[in-house]
Amino acid sequence: MRTYVAVAIVLVALGVGCQAQAGGSSPKLTEAEIENRINDLLANMTMAEKLGQLLQLDGLTTGEYRPEHIELAQKGLLGSTLNVRGARMVNELHNATMQSRLKIPILLGFDVIHGYRTLFPIPLGETASWDLEAVERASAIAAAEAASAGLHWTFAPMVDVMRDPRWGRVMEGSGEDVHLGIEMAKARIRGFQGTDYSQKDKVLACAKHFVGYGAAEGGRDYNTVDMSERRLREHYLPPFKASVEAGVGSFMTAFNDLNGVPATANQFLLRQILREEWKFDGLVISDYNAVQELINHGMAADGSEAAMYGLNGGTDMEMLSRTYVDSAARLVETGKVTLATIDTAVRHVLRIKFRLGLFAEPFPFASEELEQQTIKKPEFLQAARELAAKSFVLLKNANQILPIDLTKIRELVVIGSLADDKPNTLDWWAGDARAEDSITILQGLRDYVASANPANPVRVTFSKGCESSCTSDKDFAAAVTAVGTADIAVIVVGEVREVSGEAASLSNIDLSGRQLDLVKAIAETGKPYVIVLKNGRPLTIDWLAMHAPAILVTWHSGTMGGPAVADVLFGAVNPSGKLPMTFPRNVGQIPLYHDYKNTGRPYNIAERYTSKYMDIEHGPLYPFGFGLSYTTFQFSELKLSAERVKNGESVKVSVQVQNNGTRDGEEVVQLYLRDVASRITRPVRQLKAFRKLALKVNEKQTVEFTVTAEDMGFLDETWKMTIEAGEFQVFVGNSADAELMARFYVDGEPTTETTSAVPSPTQSRSDATVRTDATVEMSTGAPTQPGQNVATTQGSGASDTTVTSAATLLCSVLAMIVLLN
Ligand SMILES: *[C@@H]1O[C@H](CO)[C@@H](O)[C@H](O)[C@H]1NC(C)=O
Ligand SMILES: *[C@@H]1O[C@H](CO)[C@@H](O)[C@H](O)[C@H]1NC(C)=O
Ligand SMILES: *[C@@H]1O[C@H](CO)[C@@H](O)[C@H](O)[C@H]1NC(C)=O
């Protein structure tokens, strides 16, 4: 009896672990066992079967497979699909695979970018929340829904750094900053993959697009990229390296060429940096049709050369085009591609399939019941609503016109077609989301006022005024009339989904059509009004900035965007978003970003011969990191732990933040660093740490950061991290214009680490915001550790496996004890 009780207690304590084991498909294979299984398979595969593993074909956008997929799967000639989804479709395809000779499961991918069925704000919007936990949770929910629909793999996160809002694809990224981009990349990878992507509610993530895609010339999608290796290593590579360290399982190549070599065939990127320097052992897939497009690039003369360049370049799997299956056997025969190259590519595919646990999947593969139970759970929708509200950025709020006090008005009029447009609640990357599931801004406002005062709700009327692309003012008069009886107007203007996303570059990022004329017509009535922007990118809104009483940036905010807009406009939620990308004054200023170089002739209004435009006010309309709240915050008492430190030591920074306004609110405390003089010039300031905190009225909190030695370093001429003695300036505040400043000095000889050719931007960097001493210790040693960091991260997969096996063993032993009793 006592044994029983003891066992029961232990079982309860271990309940979660054992359940997870039971829920998992089978005992997990060790990495060594996986490699042995791969060796066995490779020894038995025909060339056609190998090349089949390197092929990904697309299903219909509705989620169905094509008849050809079944035929290929039955013959074991199809490695992967994209778009095929839903338990029923997935089971049928899986069933076909199980009829093949070697029964290698198909890897099922889909663009689950910011939600599967429950749609969250676009990634740029999620990033504007600066809330890493909320973003991780959003990715975890997306993974749970996607996995329930039988999917294994998402083509996210996009970790491209981007500084050109003309590029439509900025909606899919984390903005212009390297540090913020790193932190968001890690949060999303944690959310999608968890600690083990073979778990039932996780999916394999994909860091894309490797690399430089965000730097396409003129913001024209797919365009040429030519940049120095310094810029590449300082700005564009770090989020990818952080992704490897966070355990991301796959990479996607970029469409662009880089310094003359298309990324999809770029040995320097895919072999030297990704495999040799970073020790990545996962899967590399091309972007859609990008191997075939090596012909258009002017690199390959034909499909066979495209396959040769792609395979030798280091692209394992080909998305959509079929040059590998068509030509690679012949390329091996003629010695243009080695068999070892093919085998390595196949090994990368199979390794991921084993790590995902696909070989151990029971039939049926996916459960329609689980899918039904998982998608659109109420708590998922609630999380989407909360993150949407957190993502909104209040750019202007003259005379505290916001929040709207519902007890003081009788009628509110909503103007602008985007307010009442279900299809445009979805955006370019809407996963499996359905317009009918989402709530428009108009509906969100109506629902809110109805529940706020069911007996006597504020009247909410609507007048379209203008489509986002309208060329006529024919509906303006009706809108002006509608404003007549109302107390306040909410004007919703911005972008439709078609002009934001892939292949949606714009040469002009003003409000499109006659939307601004509509705003002016409403402004002329003299009625108070607020602007709600619905946008996928920074827009040039100088007239609004000058004249509109209030501007709220709401991005494309997903399934629950409408209720979230109501939450913020009516004050249930105090806005706390901060811009992840600079808003320029006009398009001619682009690229415009906060971490620029000072130049030999920095801007000076009084001095002609300085770096500036003659025809426009200097600097951004709204800087990176900027966003207002309904309350105010005061920053004071900026203190450093030391004014002088030895080279290699860290500095603690503390600042007091007080909510000195009249509402509870959240603020993002941002720390920027400037290395005043070093032999390689440094930006005027770089974001090194941030922390989002909630403060009640009058509450103050002291926030502590650690500026690590690594934060003070830069890459030397051979790409080793080095720290030069001299002056550093620390700026703390709530935007890139932060004014509180303190100085410290680094003494002693330069230190250069020797173990790694690239900085380690992740672990120690994120620990910069952590305040425990143990972490600080780790951070301090960072400059000599990057190589070890890589090793640690690579090794962590193995130790996870050990832990899991130990847990399995323990669970089995306990189960036996129970049985014996
Ligand atoms: C492959 O061939 C080897 C040797 O012939 C055999 O031992 C192994 O079981 C085969 N593996 C598979 C998956 O067929
Ligand atoms: C699986 O394939 C077999 C053979 O073609 C077929 O009889 C069976 O109905 C299929 N099952 C499913 C769930 O598709
Ligand atoms: C709160 O602090 C800000 C920033 O220092 C300051 O501009 C503002 O006047 C303060 N507000 C009040 C009510 O003290």
Side-chain angles (χ1 to χ4, degrees):
M1 188 61 200
R2 276 172 77 184
T3 331
Y4 252 102
V5 173
V7 167
I9 290 169
V10 178
L11 271 179
V12 168
L14 281 162
V16 180
C18 288
Q19 228 167 39
Q21 292 304 322
S25 28
S26 69
K28 253 181 96 74
L29 298 176
T30 65
E31 288 294 307
E33 285 166 344
I34 287 176
E35 298 309 309
N36 285 338
R37 292 281 305 270
I38 295 173
N39 291 341
D40 263 6
L41 278 170
L42 278 173
N44 292 329
M45 289 168 84
T46 64
M47 180 57 92
E49 284 167 341
K50 288 179 183 177
L51 298 179
Q53 287 304 308
L54 308 184
L55 177 65
Q56 181 184 73
L57 294 178
D58 70 335
L60 307 183
T61 51
T62 48
E64 286 132 61
Y65 54 75
R66 298 173 195 272
E68 183 196 15
H69 297 167
I70 298 289
E71 290 164 32
L72 289 173
Q74 285 168 337
K75 295 181 196 146
L77 299 178
L78 182 58
S80 176
T81 59
L82 76 151
N83 292 345
V84 176
R85 63 189 184 275
R88 195 166 59 82
M89 286 294 134
V90 163
N91 282 337
E92 287 175 16
L93 192 53
H94 186 59
N95 193 28
T97 312
M98 287 304 114
Q99 294 158 31
S100 69
R101 197 171 71 87
L102 296 171
K103 305 191 189 333
I104 301 174
I106 292 188
L107 183 56
L108 299 155
F110 185 49
D111 285 294
V112 183
I113 305 299
H114 56 108
Y116 178 71
R117 185 74 184 265
T118 302
L119 198 62
F120 284 82
I122 55 171
L124 190 64
E126 287 186 349
T127 303
S129 74
W130 294 58
D131 188 326
L132 298 171
E133 275 146 47
V135 171
E136 177 178 340
R137 172 126 205 273
S139 298
I141 289 170
E145 287 190 339
S148 80
L151 289 164
H152 313 131
W153 189 13
T154 176
F155 304 114
M158 173 170 130
V159 305
D160 301 319
V161 169
M162 54 222 191
R163 293 165 165 190
D164 194 330
R166 291 172 297 183
W167 192 46
R169 224 159 169 181
V170 299
M171 54 81 67
E172 197 182 344
S174 292
E176 72 191 33
D177 186 71
V178 177
H179 176 68
L180 184 58
I182 286 171
E183 294 305 319
M184 287 293 157
K186 291 193 303 187
R188 292 194 171 106
I189 291 165
R190 281 196 302 270
F192 286 132
Q193 294 191 162
T195 51
D196 172 3
Y197 49 75
S198 75
Q199 284 165 7
K200 288 283 114 199
D201 57 352
K202 293 296 169 192
V203 293
L204 176 74
C206 181
K208 69 183 192 185
H209 308 81
F210 198 57
V211 60
Y213 191 34
E217 262 181 15
R220 291 187 295 280
D221 212 343
Y222 318 121
N223 225 278
T224 298
V225 177
D226 197 311
M227 70 166 82
S228 69
E229 187 169 347
R230 172 158 301 280
R231 174 158 289 196
L232 185 70
R233 288 189 183 269
E234 288 185 353
H235 295 285
Y236 290 86
L237 291 182
F240 286 95
K241 177 152 195 270
S243 299
V244 173
E245 291 176 4
V248 75
S250 69
F251 261 59
M252 187 189 292
T253 66
F255 280 121
N256 53 279
D257 74 348
L258 179 75
N259 302 337
V261 183
T264 302
N266 197 310
Q267 296 193 5
F268 168 67
L269 295 176
L270 299 176
R271 295 198 180 278
Q272 183 181 320
I273 292 183
L274 183 59
R275 301 285 183 191
E276 283 167 35
E277 291 183 19
W278 298 349
K279 313 288 180 227
F280 178 69
D281 69 357
L283 169 61
V284 175
I285 184 166
S286 79
D287 206 335
Y288 197 86
N289 208 38
V291 177
Q292 177 81 26
E293 288 167 13
L294 294 173
I295 300 172
N296 289 343
H297 274 290
M299 184 187 209
D302 53 27
S304 168
E305 277 196 12
M308 174 185 76
Y309 284 126
L311 284 162
N312 288 340
T315 295
D316 301 319
M317 184 181 273
E318 183 176 11
M319 188 190 286
L320 193 77
S321 57
R322 306 183 187 208
T323 70
Y324 290 7
V325 290
D326 287 348
S327 314
R330 180 93 191 105
L331 289 168
V332 171
E333 281 161 28
T334 53
K336 290 186 171 149
V337 172
T338 65
L339 186 57
T341 299
I342 304 285
D343 284 351
T344 302
V346 175
R347 179 177 297 277
H348 293 149
V349 175
L350 296 178
R351 185 180 284 155
I352 288 303
K353 290 184 174 182
F354 276 110
R355 286 184 183 165
L356 274 162
L358 302 189
F359 286 87
E361 288 291 347
F363 195 86
F365 200 51
S367 145
E368 289 182 62
E369 198 189 342
L370 176 70
E371 184 180 8
Q372 288 308 320
Q373 286 165 357
T374 306
I375 58 168
K376 291 196 296 162
K377 274 190 192 167
E379 66 258 40
F380 293 177
L381 294 170
Q382 182 59 25
R385 179 174 182 161
E386 284 168 15
L387 183 50
K390 279 171 185 278
S391 76
F392 299 163
V393 184
L394 183 65
L395 295 180
K396 188 176 177 190
N397 192 21
N399 303 318
Q400 273 77 56
I401 185 172
L402 288 175
I404 298 166
D405 185 345
L406 287 176
T407 64
K408 301 229 167 77
I409 63 168
R410 287 308 316 141
E411 184 182 328
L412 177 153
V413 61
V414 181
I415 308 284
S417 69
L418 283 171
D420 185 32
D421 181 343
K422 278 229 180 197
N424 271 300
T425 58
L426 308 182
D427 57 88
W428 182 261
W429 294 118
D432 197 56
R434 319 277 162 88
E436 71 260 24
D437 292 342
S438 49
I439 302 171
T440 63
I441 293 175
L442 180 61
Q443 192 59 47
L445 296 174
R446 285 189 165 145
D447 293 347
Y448 189 104
V449 299
S451 71
N453 185 357
N456 191 12
V458 165
R459 221 160 88 85
V460 176
T461 58
F462 172 71
S463 183
K464 176 173 74 152
C466 180
E467 310 275 347
S468 69
S469 58
C470 76
T471 52
S472 150
D473 61 2
K474 68 181 169 54
D475 295 322
F476 286 17
V480 166
T481 306
V483 169
T485 54
D487 300 293
I488 187 166
V490 171
I491 309 178
V492 182
V493 285
E495 300 185 291
V496 288
R497 60 190 299 199
E498 286 78 12
V499 301
S500 168
E502 186 173 341
S505 299
L506 294 175
S507 70
N508 178 339
I509 55 172
D510 293 342
L511 284 178
S512 59
R514 297 200 54 189
Q515 293 182 99
L516 186 57
D517 290 335
L518 173 67
V519 175
K520 288 176 179 171
I522 304 299
E524 268 169 27
T525 66
K527 274 282 157 66
Y529 68 96
V530 301
I531 300 291
V532 171
L533 278 185
K534 197 173 177 322
N535 51 319
R537 52 158 64 82
L539 298 174
T540 43
I541 49 167
D542 57 334
W543 191 92
L544 296 179
M546 191 92 78
H547 302 283
I551 306 169
L552 184 70
V553 171
T554 68
W555 317 108
H556 295 295
S557 49
T559 310
M560 299 300 283
V565 169
D567 289 341
V568 171
L569 289 185
F570 298 133
V573 174
N574 190 348
S576 62
K578 304 282 178 182
L579 295 179
M581 257 185 116
T582 302
F583 269 46
R585 294 172 192 279
N586 72 14
V587 83
Q589 290 182 302
I590 298 169
L592 191 68
Y593 47 89
H594 68 288
D595 49 347
Y596 57 90
K597 297 286 185 78
N598 203 39
T599 81
R601 295 193 173 182
Y603 164 74
N604 177 351
I605 185 70
E607 195 34 77
R608 179 183 178 108
Y609 297 100
T610 61
S611 184
K612 60 181 183 294
Y613 294 106
M614 299 185 83
D615 60 346
I616 193 158
E617 202 181 319
H618 188 72
L621 187 62
Y622 295 105
F624 172 83
F626 176 80
L628 300 169
S629 162
Y630 295 152
T631 187
T632 51
F633 298 92
Q634 186 159 30
F635 287 67
S636 61
E637 315 269 326
L638 177 60
K639 287 183 192 145
L640 306 182
S641 59
E643 223 171 280
R644 306 200 81 92
V645 292
K646 289 206 195 67
N647 198 327
E649 289 177 355
S650 57
V651 174
K652 280 192 188 160
V653 178
S654 69
V655 68
Q656 189 179 297
V657 186
Q658 179 169 24
N659 180 343
N660 70 345
T662 52
R663 281 169 180 268
D664 299 348
E666 284 184 283
E667 180 62 299
V668 179
V669 186
Q670 303 162 39
L671 184 150
Y672 297 84
L673 188 67
R674 178 174 190 172
D675 178 353
V676 176
S678 57
R679 68 184 190 280
I680 307 287
T681 61
R682 310 308 305 142
V684 291
R685 50 180 69 181
Q686 287 179 290
L687 182 72
K688 292 295 182 184
F690 63 88
R691 189 168 159 212
K692 189 162 191 172
L693 61 153
L695 292 176
K696 301 207 179 304
V697 175
N698 279 326
E699 188 184 347
K700 54 180 146 181
Q701 206 173 313
T702 298
V703 180
E704 232 185 65
F705 297 103
T706 301
V707 175
T708 66
E710 189 192 346
D711 290 330
M712 305 169 204
F714 61 91
L715 298 177
D716 73 4
E717 295 78 356
T718 61
W719 315 124
K720 297 203 167 70
M721 181 64 85
T722 185
I723 304 157
E724 254 185 36
E727 179 186 345
F728 288 80
Q729 297 173 348
V730 177
F731 301 85
V732 178
N734 54 10
S735 81
D737 284 349
E739 280 175 355
L740 268 190
M741 194 267 272
R743 295 185 165 80
F744 67 88
Y745 297 83
V746 171
D747 292 328
E749 291 307 303
T751 14
T752 299
E753 54 84 14
T754 50
T755 47
S756 169
V758 271
S760 168
T762 52
Q763 264 123 5
S764 51
R765 183 68 60 76
S766 66
D767 292 343
T769 58
V770 177
R771 284 136 300 273
T772 69
D773 284 345
T775 321
V776 173
E777 281 304 311
M778 279 173 58
S779 304
T780 313
T784 54
Q785 275 187 351
Q788 291 166 350
N789 268 347
V790 175
T792 312
T793 316
Q794 295 294 325
S796 69
S799 61
D800 278 358
T801 316
T802 318
V803 172
T804 316
S805 324
T808 314
L809 190 64
L810 193 51
C811 288
S812 320
V813 169
L814 287 169
M816 270 176 61
I817 294 174
V818 172
L819 279 176
L820 289 174
N821 269 278

